[in-house]
Amino acid sequence: MNDFNDFYAEGAQALFDRGVKEVPRAYIQPQHERPSAAARLVPGKQLPVIDLSRFHGDGRNQVMEELKSACESWGFFHLINHGFPDSSMKAMLEVVRQFFELPAEIKMRFFQKIGTGRKARYGLSFNTELDRVSDWKDFLAHPCHPLSDELISTWPDVPLHYREIATEYAKNVRALALRLLALLSESLGLRESFIYEAFKGHHQLLVINHYPPCPQPDLTLGVRGHTDVYGFTIVQHDDVPGLEVMKDGSWYAVSSIPNAFVINIGDQLEILSNGRYKSIKHRAVVNSERTRFSIVSFYGPSHDATIAPAAEVIRQQPDQKAEYREILFEDYLREFFSRGLDNKFNINSLKIKK
Ligand code: OGA
Ligand code: NI
């Protein structure tokens, strides 16, 4: 094994614990990928904020318009007054902190080099065999749907209460996701159950990202620019900044609003909405001071669902043509996971040439 691979096996947490003063070569991004101050934090622009409680009141039409416009222009928004129990958000953040503090040999019981979205995985980079540059993070991922004792028994059994707290969190995520599915359907002019049905058996994947402080944060990334491959994503942040969104060729730092979620559209909703809703490129930068966590729930179709542009959406568009080929979600995921993030499978390969 060369030293390049040794660094992969070691991971960002181990490097931080060892007190390295320089980022090893395996974590250094090529110049054009590095977080450059110039392209960030364009003042005056912030993600839209959607207040879920307003869907019940007089302002319903207006907030529906805001949702539509957020999904069309940013593909990202903050969600406030979402009804997700505060206690569940706090408990989850606390228990995942404890997980990442566990000794490496315990976490490594769950180590896998490559993801599938189907099994619990402790990971040190997206694809440990193929990534040319490793991410400055470690993470825990596992599916959360359909919830059964059998599924839960595949999750980490440490720390104490992890399974209990993650079960509660997963149920709350699903409840929120189902509300969003209905609203997103309506916002596209579809019947309320449209996306719910299109996703068939549904899939829900929890990914907990842990970004340790980095001695040279300008040389590396927590996760490099990518789009999310599922339907949409529900992100819980802590108060440490790091998430950045690409808009009009610039990176925007996403602020964190206490108790809010960040929601973003993934590739499957871009396809289903025939490109009206955008699956936007985003990344995470790291810093030299503070550890950052993000608790990310990917919600989308079951593996056996075929995703295609909705005929009803196509009919509303000027060209009235499908812009994307349909795809079996299992095939999409296989392409996604079997490549390194450098060769990431891209939604553009499904675009129908004009
Ligand atoms: C992801 C992701 C960003 C973050 O896990 O897909 O984009 O803020 N994470 O951790
Ligand atoms: Ni993402």
Side-chain angles (χ1 to χ4, degrees):
M1 211 192 247
N2 57 26
D3 63 350
F4 177 77
N5 279 319
D6 284 346
F7 285 124
Y8 280 115
E10 190 164 4
Q13 172 70 51
L15 291 164
F16 172 70
D17 289 345
R18 217 151 52 70
V20 297
K21 296 281 180 285
E22 285 178 9
V23 169
R25 190 161 49 90
Y27 289 82
I28 297 180
Q29 292 288 343
Q31 286 284 354
H32 67 279
E33 296 279 356
R34 291 182 198 169
S36 76
R40 294 166 62 192
L41 277 171
V42 181
K45 276 209 189 175
Q46 253 308 325
L47 291 192
V49 178
I50 303 291
D51 179 346
L52 197 57
S53 67
R54 286 178 59 216
F55 282 102
H56 300 296
D58 292 344
R60 193 171 199 284
N61 290 346
Q62 193 198 330
V63 67
M64 188 58 83
E65 284 307 311
E66 288 169 15
L67 175 67
K68 202 187 300 183
S69 140
C71 295
E72 284 172 353
S73 61
W74 283 91
F76 263 86
F77 54 89
H78 294 283
L79 187 70
I80 60 167
N81 296 325
H82 40 62
F84 194 107
D86 197 29
S87 54
S88 175
M89 294 175 81
K90 283 211 175 76
M92 192 65 194
L93 187 57
E94 190 46 43
V95 83
V96 304
R97 259 185 226 291
Q98 291 166 10
F99 176 85
F100 287 102
E101 281 167 6
L102 292 169
E105 56 278 17
I106 293 183
K107 290 180 283 191
M108 288 306 273
R109 275 177 26 211
F110 306 98
F111 178 73
Q112 285 174 56
K113 288 181 174 173
I114 301 165
T116 57
R118 293 174 193 256
K119 279 213 281 201
R121 175 187 183 203
Y122 173 62
L124 300 173
S125 194
F126 178 77
N127 181 322
T128 311
E129 283 180 348
L130 295 181
D131 289 349
R132 265 176 287 134
V133 183
S134 207
D135 302 321
W136 191 271
K137 71 163 182 177
D138 51 353
F139 62 97
L140 173 67
H142 58 73
C144 292
H145 181 79
L147 264 181
S148 64
D149 289 347
E150 194 189 340
L151 178 68
I152 293 167
S153 73
T154 65
W155 298 354
D157 49 356
V158 279
L160 192 68
H161 304 308
Y162 176 81
R163 288 179 179 172
E164 215 173 295
I165 292 168
T167 299
E168 196 54 36
Y169 191 85
K171 285 182 185 163
N172 289 325
V173 165
R174 175 152 156 95
L176 177 60
L178 295 187
R179 285 177 74 191
L180 287 171
L181 283 184
L183 293 171
L184 289 165
S185 294
E186 187 182 335
S187 73
L188 285 165
L190 301 168
R191 67 176 184 281
E192 211 181 85
S193 60
F194 190 93
I195 304 175
Y196 181 93
E197 288 160 17
F199 283 178
K200 236 177 149 181
H202 295 205
H203 187 63
Q204 183 181 335
L205 178 70
L206 179 68
V207 177
I208 301 140
N209 295 304
H210 169 243
Y211 304 99
C214 174
Q216 295 172 299
D218 290 341
L219 297 182
T220 188
L221 288 170
V223 57
R224 83 204 74 177
H226 67 281
T227 65
D228 290 349
V229 294
Y230 293 82
F232 61 93
T233 311
I234 301 178
V235 184
Q236 178 185 340
H237 286 265
D238 59 12
D239 59 343
V240 182
L243 177 61
E244 297 186 347
V245 174
M246 170 72 85
K247 183 164 168 59
D248 308 326
S250 297
W251 291 106
Y252 291 86
V254 174
S255 60
S256 80
I257 301 180
N259 301 324
F261 286 102
V262 171
I263 311 289
N264 65 284
I265 299 294
D267 293 353
Q268 303 316 306
L269 281 189
E270 177 170 326
I271 297 168
L272 186 142
S273 70
N274 203 30
R276 240 178 84 182
Y277 288 0
K278 300 286 187 300
S279 178
I280 296 286
K281 197 167 165 182
H282 54 285
R283 68 181 184 183
V285 300
V286 290
N287 73 83
S288 57
E289 306 284 317
R290 295 177 66 194
T291 296
R292 172 171 181 262
F293 289 93
S294 66
I295 302 172
V296 181
S297 297
F298 296 104
Y299 201 90
S302 49
H303 292 77
D304 62 343
T306 296
I307 298 298
E312 292 85 337
V313 175
I314 297 172
R315 270 201 294 277
Q316 303 158 22
Q317 292 175 318
D319 284 358
Q320 307 212 349
K321 283 206 185 75
E323 306 264 353
Y324 303 81
R325 281 191 302 279
E326 66 172 32
I327 178 110
L328 180 66
F329 188 53
E330 183 167 35
D331 292 341
Y332 201 94
L333 274 189
R334 188 180 321 107
E335 284 295 323
F336 171 66
F337 281 118
S338 65
R339 303 181 189 211
L341 261 195
D342 300 305
N343 306 306
K344 193 179 132 2
F345 179 61
N346 197 308
I347 190 173
N348 289 334
S349 65
L350 291 183
K351 280 202 174 135
I352 296 170
K353 294 197 181 66
K354 294 234 163 105

